[in-house]
Amino acid sequence: MSASEATVALCQEGTHCLTSGDLALATAYYTAAFSCNATATVEHIRSLGRSQEERLIATLEKWCVGQSRIPKIPVDKMVSGAPNSGIAAVFLSTLSPNNLASSFFKMNTLIKAERFEDVISRCNLLLNIHPKHSVELLLTRGLAWVLSETHSRNGVVDYIQAFVKQASETVEFVCTRQKEYTSQVTQAFRNYIALHENSSESGPSDSMLNECYRFLTAVSPQDIRMYKMQAAYLFEKCRFDECVAVYAKAIAISSDSTKNKPDLTACLLVDRAAAYFSIGSRTKDMIQDLTEAFERSPVEAKRHFEELFMPQNAGLIVDQVRGQIEADFSTYREAVRNRSDLRSSSDSEMLSTIVHALQFLIYISQNVFKRELSIRLADCKLLSGDFKSALEICSHLLASDQKTYQNTLLAIRGFCYLHAGDNQNALMDFQKIFEHESPHPNSCVKALCGRGLVRMLRGSSYLTAVDYVTASRLKLDETVLTTKSYVPWNHRGLLLKVLQEEGQKMLQKKTTNQAPSPCQKRKNPVELNGLSFKEGDVSGVYHLASLLLELDQSDDVSRILCADALYQMGRVEEAHKMLLVSLSGNSQKSPVLARLALLQLKKGFLYDGNQLIKKVIHIGDTTCLLPIMDVFTQEDRGLMQDHCHSSAMTILKTKQGDTYVKEAIAYLSLAIIASGGRAENSLLSRARCYGHLGQKKTAIFDFSAILKENPSNVEALCGRSFMYLVLNQQKEAVQDIISALTLDPDLVTRELLALKQEAQTVITQWLYEHSRKIVVANCNGSQELSQKDALRELSLIGHCLLQINENHLKWHTLYSDILVASGKCDQALVHLQKFFGCDPEDATVKARCGLIHMTANNLQKAVDSLHFLAEADPKELEFVLCFLNTKQRQLLAQFASQEGTAWGKKSQQEKALPYHSLAILSSNKSPQHLRQHAKCLAHLKQYTRSLADMDEVITRHTNEDVKSQVGDYCMRGYILLLISKDEDAIEDYMKALHLNQALALSCIASKPGRQSLAQTFHKTALHHCEQQLHEKAWKITECGFVIDHYNSDLKKLKNRLKREASGCLLH
């Protein structure tokens, strides 16, 4: 294919790609065509139109400047070589003469060919044609100047002109388009700077040199040498702030790079510190740089420091660093003082700068100052939490020959041991301080605080408080700082509580004049330079409370403790102000309100005091007065007690309703507490209020509290008895009433009369029952009390009951019983006849008269009077008979039995029955009288009672009296037959036959008759036979034959049983 044909074919391919939108490939085809036939290709391009031509030119420009790659043309369509940047540049210059991109390409080619003069000339020409692109042209011409080496100064000038015009574009152009020549360019700049800095002749302006440095750092941003050159220049020109900024960039680069050694960064930090020093107002920044430099590389930093600073300047720096350390430490101490959270240690972060500054000073200072600085360093390390390093430093210094600052070192090391948990060594170090000839005050404070903490951990709370009191008196501010910073944070809360508790105990012992416990006794008070603390020393407690307030301003317990101490010191107004401060934060603080109320009452402000008491009552925490009682004087407590009691009484008298009763209870509770729990009148009133509200057990508690102190308080005894009454505790209620009766019978009677009728009825009945028990016990000889005491008690109860209700029959009978028990039978009879006449109608009264007649051996009158009660109320008769001795009862039983028999013979069994009953009760249920009584009942057809009597008789059988036993079984059997209990009756008759057949048959013949009973046996045996109970039927049949041998029915049944049970052994 010829060149012209190839050109046409390539142009056609380019047009096809252009139409399809592939501009880059189309441009590549046109470039290949241009290499075959330039003229034809240019004509073809122009025929496409101006817009297409401009698009192709733009693509060619990108190729020339290297912004995009030239696409490859398929091998089968290439006639000549593949298109390249050189052909593209020629093609571009043909399409657009003086095109900047093609010109740059050509100039780059010339530069590589070292044709620098041609480049310079070309640039000069293009600067006139393309003024808008002066930066690129200046930079290209400048490169040519630099590379020519003969006129490198002109090149530097061109670079600076471009940099001043457009700094970012200049840096980008140099770093991308001239990247391979960057080292030559920077070297040219350095030579330029060196030439003019070392020359005494007038050279470029400072601004020019400054721009040179700026250009270098911009083009080589990671080259620390450029920053050091610029910084050195700025330092020389006394432009220290700019110098600091440049060093900051260099330090940042050096710190971020892993290739740079710590020595380099350390030197840069020292350089910047020199700039800070020169500024004069940036001491803190200077110290920070120096400390960081010495931390990174102590040796290199010290070498560079000595190179930069003259001895006099180094001395100034040391003074400045010392001053800054003191200022920072003062700031730290102030932060500790103002710390709100006692357990916090957040302020320790402030010490890191001080620690680094001290380490710097130790590096550069002379040996004479290193001991003092090391002590400060150990102190700061301890405060910052690094107690291990601090311990190591202290131990090293204490082991050295130099003996200065021994107390300080011992104090620091003691706390190091404390933090490490070595309490024993800590205590030894603290003790050495006290043993020193002239201990330093601050060291003494630390030692006291440390020793107090050790004592607390060992359980000696009192001695802990003594140490802290002494420390507070010595130096309060130092004690606060020591506690907040040196004491381990996890012990501070406990320490605060322990000191509060011990302070309260000290105040209480001062008030109550109690002696210290053995573990707290000391032969001598703790003494230190004239300062001492003795138990009961209120001023010492005040100092302790002041310390506690400084430790935690929000703690009300400490504030109250301080107020209490001020009160005991007689500084009432100050105590009042202190309490008001505590109240300002929260008006619902009962302990504060109670104290304020007491102080107002003390000052005579009754209204204000009462308002405060009302607030306490409204809150509902009356127990807040309990700790106050151990602090305030008896006189002042009396004011509170009297005021509260009178207020309660006023409420109870003038207002009604449970709400007001509860309010009165609150006042009374305060009065009771104020009295130390000994106000009987207040306790009594409160107990009654509780009883009114239905709180019986609480009322009993108050009554018991009164009686514990004063067992003879009749009102309390009555009150408690009435509460027991409501709780249905009979024994306790009666016991209290009796105790009260022995003290003041009249008052007790009035109290009982004041009760409601229902309650009065119950309590008097209980007293009645109790009296009867005493009477019975006295008659039986089982009385726990002596007879004299028992009779006195009975007499009191009897008189009391009669005074309550003299129309009550029981009370009169009881009173007569008491007189009889006392041996005053005549008086008893007179009393009964006085109230009931000579012939009383009531059986119980008649019985008492009969009892009196019996004591006079008048059997007839006795029996006539007593027998009425035998059937009416046997239990009451038993009680009456307990007054008689055994002989009297036997005579009474015998006579009564005779009377009953006499009436029985007259067939008047109804009249005989009471006498037989009297005989039974008098004889303690003698079998003889029981049999008579049973027969009488049987005649009266009261078979159930008669059967009961015979049961009782049979249970008392003995083996000797067979005849009686046979008769009893036959009698009971007969009664059972009468009530149709045939089977039970047969059982009794069979027992009688078994005991004695002849006697039994004789009794049977009398009642009910042998034939009749035999028929009953037959009937029962037949029933068992039908139930297939053959053995039982056989036994009954056999016994029936014993009773009646001729009974035909029994014979038939016997034969039947033989037939049905043949082959079985029946007997």
Side-chain angles (χ1 to χ4, degrees):
M1 182 184 292
S2 63
S4 58
E5 292 175 346
T7 301
V8 172
L10 290 169
C11 286
Q12 288 177 350
E13 288 292 334
T15 303
H16 175 72
C17 292
L18 192 63
T19 303
S20 63
D22 194 348
L23 179 61
L25 187 57
T27 305
Y29 276 115
Y30 288 134
T31 304
F34 180 80
S35 63
C36 294
N37 190 328
T39 304
T41 303
V42 171
E43 289 177 358
H44 180 78
I45 295 298
R46 299 203 187 280
S47 66
L48 295 174
R50 184 61 185 168
S51 60
Q52 295 290 6
E53 182 180 356
E54 288 178 352
R55 292 177 65 199
L56 291 170
I57 290 172
T59 303
L60 290 169
E61 286 177 344
K62 291 180 180 179
W63 290 354
C64 290
V65 298
Q67 290 182 355
S68 63
R69 297 177 63 184
I70 302 172
K72 293 182 180 180
I73 297 174
V75 178
D76 59 339
K77 294 183 179 180
M78 274 196 303
V79 178
S80 59
N84 54 48
S85 300
I87 297 173
V90 176
F91 185 23
L92 177 60
S93 64
T94 304
L95 291 173
S96 177
N98 295 322
N99 183 276
L100 198 60
S102 62
S103 299
F104 277 126
F105 185 84
K106 291 177 183 178
M107 287 188 287
N108 287 336
T109 304
L110 293 172
I111 286 173
K112 290 179 181 178
E114 298 184 358
R115 294 169 60 185
F116 305 121
E117 293 295 334
D118 295 340
V119 173
I120 293 168
S121 300
R122 184 71 177 167
C123 286
N124 291 335
L125 175 63
L126 290 172
L127 280 169
N128 296 324
I129 299 171
H130 301 285
K132 291 183 178 180
H133 300 280
S134 60
V135 172
E136 293 90 336
L137 293 170
L138 284 169
L139 293 172
T140 305
R141 188 176 70 181
L143 179 61
W145 284 118
V146 168
L147 294 176
S148 68
E149 296 184 358
T150 56
H151 301 286
S152 60
R153 176 181 177 183
N154 294 338
V156 171
V157 172
D158 281 347
Y159 272 104
I160 294 302
Q161 286 181 4
F163 185 70
V164 170
K165 286 183 178 182
Q166 295 182 3
S168 59
E169 288 82 353
T170 300
V171 172
E172 183 182 2
F173 189 89
V174 172
C175 292
T176 55
R177 305 273 286 279
Q178 296 180 356
K179 186 175 182 180
E180 58 184 305
Y181 305 111
T182 303
S183 59
Q184 289 96 318
V185 173
T186 55
Q187 185 60 44
F189 268 81
R190 291 168 67 182
N191 293 338
Y192 177 83
I193 292 169
L195 176 65
H196 292 289
E197 282 183 346
N198 297 327
S199 176
S200 59
E201 299 177 3
S202 61
S205 62
D206 289 339
S207 62
M208 180 66 180
L209 289 176
N210 188 50
E211 293 301 330
C212 289
Y213 286 116
R214 285 183 60 233
F215 175 81
L216 286 173
T217 55
V219 171
S220 302
Q222 298 300 317
D223 193 341
I224 294 176
R225 294 174 301 170
M226 304 304 172
Y227 290 103
K228 290 182 71 176
M229 289 173 58
Q230 184 183 9
Y233 166 76
L234 293 170
F235 188 88
E236 185 180 350
K237 296 299 181 182
C238 297
R239 294 161 61 181
F240 302 117
D241 290 323
E242 296 175 61
C243 177
V244 166
V246 173
Y247 274 127
K249 294 177 182 178
I251 291 167
I253 295 167
S254 177
S255 300
D256 292 341
S257 175
T258 56
K259 296 180 181 180
N260 295 322
K261 296 180 180 180
D263 295 354
L264 177 59
T265 306
C267 291
L268 290 171
L269 287 166
V270 173
D271 288 331
R272 188 171 66 176
Y276 281 135
F277 176 75
S278 300
I279 293 172
S281 60
R282 308 272 305 260
T283 304
K284 202 165 187 179
D285 295 324
M286 175 195 73
I287 295 171
Q288 185 177 349
D289 278 355
L290 288 172
T291 56
E292 186 177 351
F294 276 80
E295 186 179 359
R296 287 177 178 270
S297 179
V299 176
E300 187 63 27
K302 185 175 182 181
R303 182 195 61 77
H304 197 54
F305 178 83
E306 291 173 350
E307 289 178 355
L308 286 178
F309 295 98
M310 299 293 289
Q312 59 270 29
N313 289 337
L316 289 174
I317 290 173
V318 169
D319 293 340
Q320 290 178 359
V321 173
R322 280 179 174 272
Q324 189 62 45
I325 288 172
E326 293 301 329
D328 289 346
F329 199 72
S330 296
T331 304
Y332 165 75
R333 288 166 66 93
E334 191 62 30
V336 171
R337 287 191 192 94
N338 298 329
R339 187 190 294 158
S340 58
D341 185 2
L342 178 62
R343 298 168 183 81
S344 173
S345 296
S346 57
D347 305 319
S348 59
E349 297 173 358
M350 301 169 63
L351 294 165
S352 60
T353 57
I354 302 175
V355 169
H356 293 145
L358 287 167
Q359 289 172 335
F360 161 70
L361 288 179
I362 290 170
Y363 279 125
I364 66 171
S365 296
Q366 300 176 4
N367 290 334
V368 68
F369 299 112
K370 284 187 178 181
R371 183 177 178 84
E372 178 188 351
L373 294 171
S374 296
I375 293 171
R376 291 296 298 274
L377 178 62
D379 192 21
C380 291
K381 280 184 174 291
L382 169 61
L383 293 173
S384 63
D386 187 6
F387 61 86
K388 292 183 179 179
S389 299
L391 179 61
E392 187 178 341
I393 295 170
C394 290
S395 298
H396 174 73
L397 293 174
L398 286 168
S400 65
D401 295 334
Q402 199 172 353
K403 299 302 178 183
T404 55
Y405 302 107
Q406 289 290 96
N407 288 338
T408 305
L409 284 169
L410 287 169
I412 296 171
R413 190 172 72 172
F415 275 103
C416 289
Y417 281 132
L418 266 179
H419 282 267
D422 189 352
N423 296 341
Q424 185 58 39
N425 279 325
L427 188 61
M428 290 172 63
D429 278 353
F430 295 139
Q431 200 62 37
K432 288 177 183 177
I433 296 173
F434 301 130
E435 294 169 359
H436 197 271
E437 295 177 357
S438 55
H440 190 269
N442 287 352
S443 299
C444 285
V445 168
K446 289 184 177 67
L448 286 165
C449 292
R451 186 176 70 177
L453 183 61
V454 173
R455 286 173 164 177
M456 181 194 76
L457 296 174
R458 292 182 174 183
S460 300
S461 301
Y462 171 76
L463 296 178
T464 298
V466 170
D467 278 343
Y468 275 86
V469 167
T470 308
S472 302
R473 281 179 158 179
L474 189 60
K475 272 195 171 185
L476 177 61
D477 185 60
E478 190 65 28
T479 307
V480 172
L481 287 170
T482 301
T483 308
K484 280 191 169 185
S485 53
Y486 288 89
V487 173
W489 68 270
N490 55 335
H491 293 322
R492 293 174 200 160
L494 177 60
L495 178 63
L496 181 73
K497 293 302 178 186
V498 167
L499 293 177
Q500 286 175 346
E501 292 174 2
E502 290 303 317
Q504 291 166 349
K505 290 178 184 178
M506 290 173 182
L507 281 183
Q508 292 167 7
K509 289 171 184 174
K510 169 65 173 65
T511 305
T512 58
N513 294 321
Q514 294 176 352
S517 60
C519 64
Q520 296 170 344
K521 288 182 179 180
R522 296 172 61 90
K523 293 182 180 179
N524 297 305
V526 178
E527 295 185 358
L528 188 67
N529 291 345
L531 294 172
S532 64
F533 174 77
K534 297 180 181 179
E535 191 166 353
D537 190 345
V538 180
S539 64
V541 179
Y542 171 70
H543 281 88
L544 182 62
S546 301
L547 167 65
L548 296 174
L549 268 180
E550 290 293 329
L551 294 178
D552 190 351
Q553 293 283 346
S554 63
D555 196 300
D556 287 327
V557 177
S558 302
R559 196 174 301 280
I560 290 172
L561 179 63
C562 190
D564 288 347
L566 287 169
Y567 165 82
Q568 288 196 7
M569 294 167 70
R571 296 156 65 177
V572 177
E573 287 299 328
E574 292 179 58
H576 188 266
K577 292 177 182 178
M578 181 74 69
L579 292 170
L580 288 176
V581 171
S582 182
L583 194 63
S584 62
N586 182 5
S587 60
Q588 301 298 314
K589 297 175 181 176
S590 300
V592 179
L593 290 169
R595 285 168 168 81
L596 283 171
L598 202 147
L599 290 178
Q600 292 291 62
L601 293 175
K602 178 180 176 64
K603 292 190 289 185
F605 301 143
L606 300 182
Y607 176 80
D608 294 337
N610 191 56
Q611 293 301 111
L612 291 166
I613 291 172
K614 282 185 177 180
K615 287 185 179 180
V616 174
I617 292 171
H618 178 72
I619 295 170
D621 182 17
T622 55
T623 58
C624 63
L625 270 178
L626 288 172
I628 300 178
M629 296 306 100
D630 292 329
V631 176
F632 283 77
T633 63
Q634 181 64 42
E635 181 183 356
D636 293 341
R637 297 204 309 268
L639 292 173
M640 172 73 82
Q641 177 187 346
D642 295 342
H643 177 81
C644 290
H645 183 80
S646 61
S647 298
M649 293 298 101
T650 302
I651 292 169
L652 293 173
K653 289 176 182 177
T654 59
K655 298 178 182 179
Q656 294 181 348
D658 290 352
T659 303
Y660 295 110
V661 173
K662 291 176 181 178
E663 184 180 355
I665 287 174
Y667 274 104
L668 290 168
S669 298
L670 292 175
I672 292 165
I673 295 171
S675 69
R678 297 182 178 87
E680 287 190 9
N681 52 353
S682 298
L683 279 167
L684 193 63
S685 299
R686 188 175 73 173
R688 288 169 176 167
C689 290
Y690 280 133
H692 174 80
L693 295 174
Q695 299 180 30
K696 313 303 179 187
K697 291 186 178 180
T698 310
I700 289 173
F701 182 84
D702 276 356
F703 284 129
S704 299
I706 298 170
L707 294 170
K708 183 179 180 180
E709 297 295 326
N710 182 13
S712 61
N713 191 306
V714 177
E715 290 180 289
L717 284 167
C718 291
R720 188 170 71 175
S721 174
F722 298 155
M723 294 302 104
Y724 285 135
L725 168 65
V726 178
L727 294 172
N728 200 33
Q729 294 179 229
Q730 180 176 349
K731 181 180 178 181
E732 292 81 359
V734 170
Q735 189 59 49
D736 278 350
I737 283 292
I738 292 171
S739 298
L741 280 170
T742 58
L743 296 168
D744 192 343
D746 294 336
L747 178 58
V748 175
T749 304
R750 289 195 297 272
E751 292 284 346
L752 289 171
L753 287 169
L755 290 175
K756 292 182 179 179
Q757 186 60 47
E758 183 181 357
Q760 187 185 107
T761 302
V762 175
I763 191 67
T764 52
Q765 180 62 30
W766 286 355
L767 287 170
Y768 174 76
E769 293 172 3
H770 177 73
S771 300
R772 286 167 64 93
K773 288 179 182 178
I774 294 176
V775 169
V776 172
N778 189 57
C779 293
N780 296 337
S782 60
Q783 176 63 38
E784 293 181 2
L785 299 173
S786 65
Q787 187 175 17
K788 182 180 178 181
D789 292 338
L791 292 174
R792 180 172 178 269
E793 188 174 300
L794 287 169
S795 178
L796 289 171
I797 295 172
H799 279 98
C800 177
L801 292 175
L802 287 173
Q803 286 179 357
I804 292 171
N805 186 0
E806 66 176 3
N807 296 320
H808 201 296
L809 184 144
K810 283 186 178 181
W811 305 166
H812 287 287
T813 57
L814 175 64
Y815 185 68
S816 69
D817 291 341
I818 294 169
L819 290 173
V820 171
S822 303
K824 301 175 182 179
C825 298
D826 294 338
Q827 293 182 26
L829 184 60
V830 170
H831 177 81
L832 290 173
Q833 290 176 349
K834 177 181 178 182
F835 285 93
F836 302 105
C838 293
D839 187 16
E841 296 180 1
D842 187 82
T844 56
V845 178
K846 284 180 178 291
R848 265 65 181 188
C849 293
L851 172 65
I852 296 169
H853 290 313
M854 188 65 203
T855 58
N857 295 320
N858 193 338
L859 283 173
Q860 186 63 52
K861 287 186 177 182
V863 170
D864 290 342
S865 299
L866 288 168
H867 82 279
F868 292 104
L869 198 60
E871 285 295 313
D873 192 350
K875 289 187 177 180
E876 182 67 14
L877 181 57
E878 285 184 11
F879 171 75
V880 173
L881 293 174
C882 74
F883 288 92
L884 301 176
N885 56 38
T886 304
K887 185 177 180 181
Q888 288 174 328
R889 292 181 69 144
Q890 288 175 352
L891 289 172
L892 182 63
Q894 185 178 356
F895 196 86
S897 177
Q898 291 173 359
E899 286 292 313
T901 302
W903 285 109
K905 288 178 180 179
K906 296 177 183 180
S907 299
Q908 295 187 24
Q909 302 297 337
E910 294 87 353
K911 292 184 178 181
L913 182 61
Y915 288 101
H916 288 305
S917 298
L918 175 59
I920 290 172
L921 295 172
S922 300
S923 63
N924 291 324
K925 296 183 179 181
S926 167
Q928 176 187 350
H929 300 304
L930 281 168
R931 292 186 188 101
Q932 292 176 346
H933 190 251
K935 289 176 182 179
C936 184
L937 288 170
H939 281 105
L940 294 171
K941 297 183 180 180
Q942 296 184 27
Y943 301 121
T944 303
R945 290 179 64 190
S946 177
L947 186 62
D949 284 346
M950 292 311 300
D951 288 341
E952 181 70 24
V953 171
I954 289 171
T955 57
R956 297 189 177 196
H957 277 171
T958 60
N959 294 328
E960 293 115 12
D961 191 6
V962 175
K963 182 178 180 181
S964 298
Q965 291 182 37
V966 170
D968 291 339
Y969 279 121
C970 290
M971 179 65 183
R972 188 171 71 174
Y974 177 68
I975 296 170
L976 288 169
L977 287 175
L978 293 175
I979 59 176
S980 301
K981 291 186 177 182
D982 295 350
E983 191 163 346
D984 292 338
I986 286 170
E987 288 289 334
D988 278 352
Y989 280 117
M990 289 173 69
K991 290 177 182 178
L993 288 168
H994 177 72
L995 288 171
N996 191 309
Q997 194 175 94
L999 289 173
L1001 291 173
S1002 175
C1003 290
I1004 292 169
S1006 174
K1007 288 181 183 178
R1010 296 177 69 172
Q1011 292 180 355
S1012 174
L1013 185 59
Q1015 284 300 118
T1016 304
F1017 269 74
H1018 170 262
K1019 179 182 175 182
T1020 305
L1022 181 62
H1023 174 73
H1024 286 301
C1025 180
E1026 291 172 353
Q1027 297 292 325
Q1028 299 297 314
L1029 301 173
H1030 298 116
E1031 185 176 355
K1032 197 168 185 179
W1034 179 265
K1035 288 181 179 180
I1036 295 172
T1037 304
E1038 285 290 306
C1039 284
F1041 269 112
V1042 172
I1043 297 170
D1044 186 3
H1045 290 284
Y1046 304 104
N1047 190 298
S1048 59
D1049 293 331
L1050 286 172
K1051 287 181 181 180
K1052 292 177 183 179
L1053 180 59
K1054 187 174 183 180
N1055 292 329
R1056 178 183 171 183
L1057 287 170
K1058 286 180 179 180
R1059 289 194 305 270
E1060 291 182 2
S1062 60
C1064 297
L1065 182 62
L1066 299 178
H1067 59 281

